[in-house]
Amino acid sequence: MISINAILEEFLNEQKQRLKPKTFRDYESVVSLFRIYLNDYAHNYLDDANLECWEKEIEEDMESFTRIFGAEQLSSKVFGEFLDYFIIRKVMSSEDFMKKAVRVMKKLVKWLYDNQYIHQAVYAELKEYFSEASNLPTVEKVSDLIYEETKKSPQVMYEEEEEGYFYIDHIESGKLWLQPMFGGNKVIGPLSVPKKITDLCEEGWQLSGVVGRSQGKWYFIESGNVYR
């Protein structure tokens, strides 16, 4: 078995031969984060036997996952959690970095298949995931735009505030309605936002932050992340 560490090094070495230094640094950054993610989170997808093996190793080596396992552990769930969870919540990346991360991971998946590290069925699942992941940079852009809106919010004592995680319940041009994830059927809004935000958002997306009501109007007070 060839370890994930060895596979990722082989991938990077090949890319170094064909890429300009600046672009290669992007590849190195993304693959480094992918390795961190794998060692910290990917054990959640192990079966009982492999989990027992990992638990024995982790006490001595916190980065043992990528050392003791091979490409058979690189599933669509792993790539999906890396981009949809780790990059957004842990790295808190920009729209530009998310574009780079998606591009590098797509290239890695194609390379894994071309070099026979993953089977056709796994490759098909991963291709399907990446066809749906094309809007991840848009999610990051919305997060950045909402953050800019918090700077424009009135510096007042708000009559009502809601903090936590919300679903985007309804969208109209320049207006958002939110539903707290843990607040029953309550709907908050409308929040008046620039049209460029509502043009990019989709109903059902999630976001975290703080919203407040002042003089009958709702505002974004603090922003966290946006998730699709």
Side-chain angles (χ1 to χ4, degrees):
M1 180 203 72
I2 303 176
S3 72
I4 292 173
N5 278 338
I7 291 170
L8 294 179
E9 285 305 311
E10 183 184 351
F11 170 70
L12 286 175
N13 287 336
E14 286 196 17
Q15 305 316 304
K16 190 174 185 178
Q17 303 305 314
R18 70 177 191 86
L19 297 173
K20 295 180 179 179
K22 181 178 183 300
T23 304
F24 178 69
R25 287 195 293 272
D26 294 337
Y27 273 62
E28 279 189 310
S29 296
V30 174
V31 170
S32 176
L33 288 171
F34 188 47
R35 199 190 307 261
I36 291 169
Y37 158 77
L38 290 170
N39 284 311
D40 288 353
Y41 295 95
H43 65 273
N44 292 316
Y45 299 105
L46 293 173
D47 59 26
D48 291 343
N50 282 320
L51 182 61
E52 184 178 352
C53 177
W54 173 81
E55 288 173 341
K56 291 177 181 178
E57 295 287 335
I58 193 65
E59 294 181 7
E60 299 294 331
D61 181 6
M62 296 297 290
E63 298 179 351
S64 60
F65 188 96
T66 54
R67 175 175 58 81
I68 64 176
F69 296 118
E72 70 278 358
Q73 302 301 337
L74 299 179
S75 65
S76 59
K77 290 181 180 179
V78 163
F79 281 92
E81 188 175 54
F82 173 64
L83 291 171
D84 276 285
Y85 172 79
F86 185 81
I87 292 293
I88 293 176
R89 298 195 184 199
K90 300 300 181 179
V91 180
M92 293 182 287
S93 68
S94 64
E95 177 194 4
D96 182 59
F97 187 81
M98 180 60 84
K99 287 180 180 178
K100 294 174 182 176
V102 171
R103 183 171 64 248
V104 172
M105 289 293 101
K106 285 178 70 175
K107 181 65 179 180
L108 173 60
V109 165
K110 179 67 163 54
W111 181 89
L112 288 169
Y113 177 67
D114 289 344
N115 287 272
Q116 301 182 337
Y117 283 117
I118 57 176
H119 298 298
Q120 172 68 43
V122 176
Y123 183 52
E125 287 181 5
L126 286 164
K127 284 179 67 177
E128 182 177 356
Y129 166 74
F130 278 102
S131 70
E132 299 170 353
S134 59
N135 64 353
L136 279 171
T138 301
V139 172
E140 288 300 289
K141 184 173 184 177
V142 170
S143 183
D144 292 343
L145 290 172
I146 290 177
Y147 171 71
E148 292 301 319
E149 285 303 296
T150 64
K151 299 178 182 179
K152 306 173 187 176
S153 299
Q155 302 299 308
V156 298
M157 290 292 293
Y158 287 89
E159 301 152 18
E160 182 180 356
E161 291 187 11
E162 292 279 350
E163 178 179 3
Y165 290 87
F166 307 89
Y167 292 109
I168 298 179
D169 181 76
H170 181 64
I171 302 171
E172 293 182 10
S173 181
K175 297 179 181 179
L176 292 175
W177 284 260
L178 306 179
Q179 182 177 7
M181 290 181 66
F182 309 106
N185 295 321
K186 179 179 181 180
V187 176
I188 297 167
L191 286 88
S192 294
V193 295
K195 184 175 179 294
K196 60 185 176 182
I197 290 180
T198 53
D199 285 348
L200 296 172
C201 285
E202 294 183 20
E203 293 179 0
W205 281 7
Q206 303 166 27
L207 57 87
S208 60
V210 182
V211 296
R213 182 171 58 84
S214 175
Q215 298 183 347
K217 295 182 179 180
W218 286 92
Y219 300 89
F220 282 106
I221 303 174
E222 297 178 14
S223 69
N225 298 310
V226 177
Y227 319 98
R228 63 190 186 115

